[in-house]
Structure formats: C-alpha cells, structure tokens
C-alpha cells in the first residue's frame, strides 16, 4: 500500500507555473547520480567556485517584489532531503544533533538515558541502541566522513556551513549503506582571504557558549581554518532534599583544516578535531516502580530530581566520591582528502580515523537508592576509506559515479552496575566485552536525461560485513565471574535504487523511486546473564517506495515540497524483551520478521507579502508489525506484580503499532523589518510538536511518552555592514513539562525530562 501525500492538485499550480515560465528563465535540468558536496566539488561533482568568505551573508532586499528561498538548485534534485542553512540553525538554536528534530520533518532524535549519546528515528526507522556498539539505521556524516557510532560527533556542531537530513535507504552514490537515511553536516572550509570572528551566547541557568574562528592564506596555494568552541553551565536540575545542582556543561572543542591547491584541478586537505566533554547530564525521573515497595520521589517532569553515588562504587570505577551523573569523554579524529578533476571525471578519496574514549555515569533508577547506578567505559576507534569517481558525458545528459568504501572498527566496553539497594541482588557487578568489525562495499549509480526533461536513474551497492564479540565476562564483585563464548555474524547483501523524474515545468518536478536498503546485524551486550543473550540479531533490509513533488509555484513567494513513502521491512531491528529466570526482564535488540510503515512529509515556505517569511514542516507516519513474536513486557510485569514471580508472557505483536510518533510539526514565522541607516530587525515565533511515542513494544499508559508542544521566539538586529548581529531568543516560552525520552532500569520505569524555559542572547562578529 502506498499512502499518497496530501498535496495541492497540480491543476491549481498550472496558472502560476505558466506565468512563471514567462517571467523566470528555466533552470538547467538536474543531474542524477550526484554526490554530496565536498570541499573542492559542488553537489554536481563539478569544480567548485572559490571558497566564500566565512562572514559572507546573502543580502536580502526586503523591499523587493521577490526574494528567493535558500538552496534553489536542490529543487531540481529528486529526493526528500531537508536542506538547512547555517542561519536557520543559528536562529533555531540548533547546537547539538538532537536539535535537528526542531527543523526537519519525521525526525526524532533522543538522548540515551539523558547522556550525550543520541538515537535517531527517521520516518519511524530507528532503534534504541543502549549499548552503543551497533551501527545506527541513520548515519551521521561530518564533512563526508561517516561516523559508525553517533557519539563520535558530539561537540562538533560549530562553525557549520549547512546541514541536510536525507530519509530512506542510501549508499549507491557515496559512503555506506543503511536503511533509515543520513544526516550530513558540513563545516566551513579554509578561505583564500583573511577572515576571523566569534560568538558569545549567554542564557538562563548561567549557560554560556563561546565560538571563534580564523581563516586565511598561508602561502601560494595554501590556506587554513581553525575554529573552536566552549560550553559551560546551563544545569537546571536540582535535588530538593539537599540542594545539589545538576546538569552543567563543561566542554571544549577544536577543529583545524589545512588545504593545499597546487593547481586549479587538485585539492588536498588535512583535517582534524579534538573534543573534551566533562559535562553533567540530565538524570532520570521515575514514573513507575516495577519492583520493591519504596515510594517514588514524585517530582513529575519539572526541575527536581534525585540521584546517588556510593563511595564504594566511586572507588570501584576509579572516580572521586560524590560523582554526579556526568560524562568524562574524549573524542579526536583526523581525515585526509584528495580531489582531482580529470575533466571528464572527478576523483575523490577520503581517509579518516576517529576515536572515542568515554566514561559515563548515569543513575537510571532516578532515586537516592543504588538500585540501577551505571558507569560505562568505551574505548573505540574507526578507520574508513572511501574512493569514488564521478563524471558526466553527452553534454551533461549522462551522469555516473562508481566507488568503494572500507570500514574497520575496534571497541572495548565495560559496564559497572551498583545494585546494592536492590534486595534481589544486593551487589556490584561489571560486564566487559570487545568487538571487532570490518566491512567493504562497492557502489555505482548512473542517470540519463531523456527528452521532455525526463530523467531515469539506477544504482547498486554490494556490501560484505563481518563482526564479532569476544572476551565477554560478567563479574559479581565478592561473588562469581562468568565467561561467555565469543559470537560472530557476517552479512553479504545487495542494495539498490531505481527511479524516474519529470521536470514538467521549470518550477516543478515529480519523481518516483524504489530503494532497497541494507543494515548489518550485531549484538546486545548489556548486563549479560546467559549465553543466549549474545546471539546476534540479523541484518535488516527494507524496500522503500517514494513519490515526491518539488515545486516553486510562485518563485520567491511560495515553495511546496512533499513526499509520500511506504517501507516494507524484513527482520527490522527493534528493542524487544528477554526474561531471565529468577532475574527479571531485560531489553535486547532483536528482529521483527515482518513489519511496515507508511506516511508523508512536506515543507511549505512562503513569503506572502511585505516582510513576512513563513516555514512549516509536517511529518506523519504510521507503521505496524506484521509478524513479531516476543515477550510482552507489560503483561510479564503485571504477572510479577500479581504473583511476585517472573513468568514470560509470550505474544505475537501482529497488527501492533510500531510506537513511533505519528505526527511531528515544526516551523517558524519571521518579520524582516528594515530600519534607518541600513539596519534590519528580524523577529518572530517558532514552534515544535511531537506526538506520543511508545518506549516498549505495544506500550500504553506510562509505557508511552506523552505528546508535547513547545513555543519559542527570536529577534535579531543586523548591522548595515553584516559584520555583526545581536540576537535575543527564548525556548519553551510556555515552560511546558515534557519527556524527551524514556526507558527502564531494574526497579523503575523512567522518563528523561526536557529542558525548561530558556531565555538567552548572543552577539556575533565576522571580519
């Protein structure tokens, strides 16, 4: 079944499109089989123009009769990608990956247990990787480098040029295959003239963010860019029993790029970054006691919270007494890229090495008791190598790309648990394991533009993936230590895409495509008690059908893009439940043999009159399991509550909703008011809505996160020279109490509360 997007009938567009054909020149037809933008090539694979100065801002004449929207060339690309400018990201205060859900449709990005690690859900595709050792369904790219583990991108969202959210299966044109899509972040590149600047942002709860950059030439053909940021304060949680404060940021990051252009056809660039994150995290608020009779704090989703750290546990993990829920993370990486234009084709090679060293403490029971206090250490590195060749022929009618991708990762993790106040256990324990992974893929894509502005394209990817988990031990301190046999899993899969687009008038395009996506299997390795918990889950595949429209019916005044999709999943990777006898239910990543989802997303941009600019994203999706036998956690918990005995209640979740938010909305309205002597004031509201989301399969009641609506606002004064601007902003102006994410500890179910009202201001200068 293909759910069609509710778009305005084409006949209603006919008149403005006909008028547009007489008033605006027709753009060149878009090329298919394109690549993401790289430092020396445009999105079409051609030689890029010289770098734009970092402080350059497109001038908008608010008194003119028309004002073009951003990313006009993307309107001729047959995809549902949401393109985000650096200006939009600043206006909406998007400074972390999680903030992207405020500016893109059908996207949900959530913290894992309140930490800096993030889970992605795009069009309902995604899962809660609480062990953080598996490839996500939605990949993050930073300057064309794929991050196999999302945490590696923490602290790097500064000095951005733009971003893009691309839903659906990907991998036939660049990078790595996956089923849910990708988030691409692009940072500013070195410039051939000197530029420097900075930004200072101060907000509620003593939060501050500082950024600075410098960029310019070093010698003939050589240029560089150095940028950095710091984050401090902002903690808004407190413990009413002792007045302790929680949540302050403590992060700094540096990024550098060195570029050499020996001639106008060759670019060699070396990049590197370093992040140190010692921030405190948002701690859990328990909403239901599963085991035990102790009363819950009853704080609701406000600013109040409880947490604990026993000195014995702090000593065990090697941290100081009184440790608060927090990060102790270090990330660094280097990348080298070579781009050479041969004329008929452009060659691109990207080598990257990324590392993460994490030490992360969370109080998952959300009480002053030590019933599920967790400290996790991660030591991981990833090496990737990509090489691709893309070109055009037949006067641009034929476009093609071929390439290969290699990835190797190494990871060691250790989980420490303090169950001292959990009477059924009453001990401290640790689970340790190592994981090795290696994959290689080859990909290709070709497109051809037929007469009447019809373009057809097809792509194919083949991937081999091999991964194994070794050395897993489960140690009870003062008790027994159990060792488990190693496990491995391998996959040999194909993915691909085929489609057709029709630029039926210069300002509108229809497209249809079918895509098969592939994502390798992996392991759950959290609190392992029996060997069966290490059985690998299978690879996930999806067949996606997508129908879309991109249109500018009134150029510069009205833009409407939309896409409808249907996903046919096989062995979809989801969080299920396993019951360990005499121990309790545990979460594990497993496979739903058959499932489906469908829906649409649309973006409306309007400049109806004068100085008013509007933007609205809407995402709607539904999905269910067609075959998924698993433990019914709610029924199993209910049986325990009635009989004080664990018994697995099995059921097939056939026909049960997949639990993803059905409706997501976000948008803003801006009034651009010219002022005397060349100043300009931009101001207006912004908003976000997310529907209810299940935290367990088939969850109802407290097993679901409630829906929420957030209102914000911003006002920016621009200088006549565009060299500085001053902004005041507010987030969650209504001070709504809401849950960002949720989960289960040993004795409680908990929510992670979202931020309260934040009022802030910033000043930015560019020279």
């Amino acid at each position: 079944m293909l759910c069609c997007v509710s778009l305005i009938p084409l006949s209603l567009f006919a008149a403005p499109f006909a008028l547009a054909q007489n008033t605006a020149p027709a753009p060149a037809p878009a090329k298919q089989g394109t690549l993401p933008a790289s430092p020396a090539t445009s999105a079409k694979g051609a030689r890029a123009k010289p770098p734009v100065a970092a402080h350059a801002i497109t001038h908008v004449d608010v008194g003119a009769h028309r004002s073009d929207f951003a990313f006009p060339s993307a309107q001729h690309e047959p995809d549902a990608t949401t393109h985000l400018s650096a200006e939009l990201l600043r206006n909406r205060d998007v400074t972390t990956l999680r903030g992207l859900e405020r500016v893109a449709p059908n996207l949900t990005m959530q913290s894992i247990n309140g930490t800096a690690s993030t889970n992605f859900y795009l069009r309902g595709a995604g899962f809660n990787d609480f062990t953080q050792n598996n490839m996500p369904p939605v990949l993050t790219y930073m300057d064309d480098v794929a991050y196999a583990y999302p945490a590696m991108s923490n602290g790097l969202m500064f000095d951005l040029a733009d971003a893009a959210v691309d839903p659906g299966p990907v991998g036939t044109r660049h990078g790595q295959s996956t089923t849910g899509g990708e988030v691409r972040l692009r940072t500013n590149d070195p410039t051939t003239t000197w530029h420097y600047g900075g930004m200072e942002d101060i907000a509620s709860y003593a939060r501050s963010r500082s950024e600075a950059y410098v960029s310019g030439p070093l010698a003939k053909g050589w240029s560089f860019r150095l940028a950095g940021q710091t984050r401090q304060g902002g903690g808004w949680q407190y413990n009413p029993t002792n007045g302790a404060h929680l949540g302050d940021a403590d992060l700094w990051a540096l990024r550098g790029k060195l570029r050499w252009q020996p001639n106008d056809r060759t670019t060699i660039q070396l990049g590197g970054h370093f992040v140190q994150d010692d921030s405190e995290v948002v701690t859990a608020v328990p909403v239901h006691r599963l085991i035990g009779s102790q009363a819950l704090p009853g704080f609701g989703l406000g600013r109040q919270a409880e947490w604990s750290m026993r000195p014995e546990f702090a000593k065990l993990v090697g941290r100081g007494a009184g440790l608060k829920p927090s990060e102790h993370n270090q990330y660094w990486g280097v990348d080298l890229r070579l781009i050479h234009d041969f004329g008929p084709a452009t060659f691109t090679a990207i080598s990257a090495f990324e590392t993460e060293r994490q030490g992360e403490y969370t109080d998952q029971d959300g009480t002053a008791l030590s019933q599920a206090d967790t400290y996790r250490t991660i030591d991981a590195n990833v090496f990737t190598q990509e090489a691709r060749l893309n070109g055009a022929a037949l006067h641009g009618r034929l476009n093609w790309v071929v390439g290969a991708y290699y990835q190797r990762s190494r990871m060691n993790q250790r989980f420490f648990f303090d169950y001292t106040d959990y009477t059924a256990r009453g001990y401290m324990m640790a689970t340790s394991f190592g994981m090795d992974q290696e994959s290689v893929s080859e990909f290709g894509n070709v497109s051809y533009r037929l007469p009447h502005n019809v373009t057809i394209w097809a792509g194919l990817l083949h991937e081999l993936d091999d991964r194994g988990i070794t050395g897993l031990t489960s140690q009870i301190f003062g008790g027994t230590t159990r060792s488990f046999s190693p496990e491995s899993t391998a996959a040999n899969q194909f993915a691909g895409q085929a489609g057709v687009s029709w630029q039926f008038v210069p300002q509108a395009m229809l497209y249809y495509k079918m895509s098969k996506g592939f994502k390798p299997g992996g392991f759950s390795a959290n609190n392992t008690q029996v060997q069966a918990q290490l059985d690998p889950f299978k690879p996930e595949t999806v067949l996606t059908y997508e129908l879309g429209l991109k249109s500018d019916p009134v150029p510069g005044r009205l833009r409407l893009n939309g896409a409808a999709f249907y996903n046919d999943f096989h062995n979809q990777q989801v969080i299920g439940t396993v019951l360990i006898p005499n121990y309790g239910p545990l979460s594990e990543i497993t496979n739903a043999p058959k499932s489906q989802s469908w829906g649409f997303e649309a973006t409306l941009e309007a400049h109806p009159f004068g100085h008013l600019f509007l933007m609205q994203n809407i995402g709607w999706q539904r999905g269910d399991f067609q075959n998924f036998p698993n433990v019914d956690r709610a029924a199993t918990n209910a049986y325990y509550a009635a009989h004080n005995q664990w018994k697995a209640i099995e059921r097939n979740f056939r026909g049960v909703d997949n639990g993803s938010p059905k409706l997501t909305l976000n948008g803003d309205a801006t009034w651009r008011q010219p002022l005397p002597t060349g100043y300009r004031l931009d101001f207006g509201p912004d908003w976000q809505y997310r529907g209810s989301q299940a935290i367990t399969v088939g969850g109802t009641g407290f097993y679901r996160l409630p829906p929420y609506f957030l209102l914000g606002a911003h006002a920016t004064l621009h200088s006549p020279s565009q060299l500085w601007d001053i902004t005041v902003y507010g987030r969650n102006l209504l001070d709504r109490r809401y849950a960002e994410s949720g989960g289960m500890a040993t004795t409680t179910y908990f929510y992670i509360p979202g931020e309260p009202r934040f009022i802030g201001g910033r000043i930015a200068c560019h020279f």
Side-chain angles (χ1 to χ4, degrees), residues 372-388:
D373 296 356
T374 306
Y375 191 84
R376 179 221 308 270
T377 64
I378 302 177
D379 185 350
N381 63 76
V382 180
F383 172 76
T384 59
Q385 175 65 60
E386 180 172 356
R388 60 182 184 244

Side-chain angles (χ1 to χ4, degrees), residues 106-146:
N106 268 332
L107 176 66
T108 301
M109 306 183 79
Q110 295 172 319
S111 162
I112 301 176
N113 298 333
T115 68
S117 300
T118 302
N119 284 321
F120 298 75
Y121 300 86
L122 186 53
R123 289 181 172 178
F127 69 101
N128 178 16
D129 185 15
F130 49 88
T131 53
Q132 300 180 49
N133 64 301
N134 297 291
M135 176 181 163
V138 182
L139 275 177
T140 302
Y141 285 79
M142 181 71 69
D143 289 331
D144 284 353
V145 175

Side-chain angles (χ1 to χ4, degrees), residues 239 241-242 244-246 281 283-284 297 299 305-314 317 320-326 361-375 417-422:
N239 188 334
T241 63
N242 56 22
H245 179 84
L246 182 66
V281 304
T283 201
F299 295 145
E306 285 186 358
W307 61 91
S308 62
M309 165 59 82
R310 296 190 316 113
E312 296 84 355
F313 191 52
V317 301
L323 178 69
K324 298 180 181 180
S326 59
Y361 169 56
T362 53
D363 187 324
Q364 295 181 21
D365 59 272
T367 72
L369 300 173
S370 295
Q371 295 181 329
D373 296 356
T374 306
Y375 191 84
F417 302 96
D418 189 354
Y419 298 136
T420 303
D421 295 329
Y422 177 17

Side-chain angles (χ1 to χ4, degrees), residues 185-241:
L185 307 172
R186 191 169 65 90
T187 62
N188 286 311
D189 283 327
T191 54
T192 55
T193 56
W194 284 99
H195 299 286
Y196 58 94
M199 182 276 294
E200 180 63 35
D201 185 320
I202 299 175
S204 306
Y205 306 102
R207 189 190 72 183
S208 68
R209 293 199 301 262
S210 305
E211 295 184 16
Y213 70 90
V214 59
S215 179
L218 293 174
K220 184 178 180 180
W222 291 84
S223 57
F224 82 103
R225 188 178 191 93
L226 185 64
Q229 75 155 336
T230 65
R231 298 182 195 168
Q232 302 292 325
W236 47 269
Q237 284 188 307
Y238 70 95
N239 188 334
T241 63

Side-chain angles (χ1 to χ4, degrees), residues 23 54 61 67 139 151 181 184 305 310 318 331 362 444 474 508 517 714 763:
T23 59
D61 183 359
S67 180
L139 275 177
R184 299 191 300 271
R310 296 190 316 113
Y331 311 94
T362 53
S474 184
H714 63 274
I763 181 169

Side-chain angles (χ1 to χ4, degrees), residues 10 17 20-21 24-32 44 71-79 397 448-457 499-512 548-553 555 559-561:
L10 294 180
F17 282 144
Q21 292 183 68
K31 299 176 183 178
Q32 306 303 318
K44 301 303 179 189
F71 305 103
S73 63
Q75 287 298 99
H76 306 282
E77 297 174 359
D79 56 40
R397 287 186 174 274
Y448 185 75
R449 191 171 75 249
L450 300 167
H452 307 294
N453 291 324
V454 174
T455 300
I456 56 175
W457 75 92
V500 58
S501 66
W502 178 32
Q503 192 82 39
F504 59 95
V505 292
Q507 281 73 39
M509 178 186 66
L510 281 169
Y511 71 88
Y512 173 75
L549 168 70
K550 286 190 168 181
S551 65
D552 287 283
R559 171 177 290 177
L560 179 60
N561 297 337

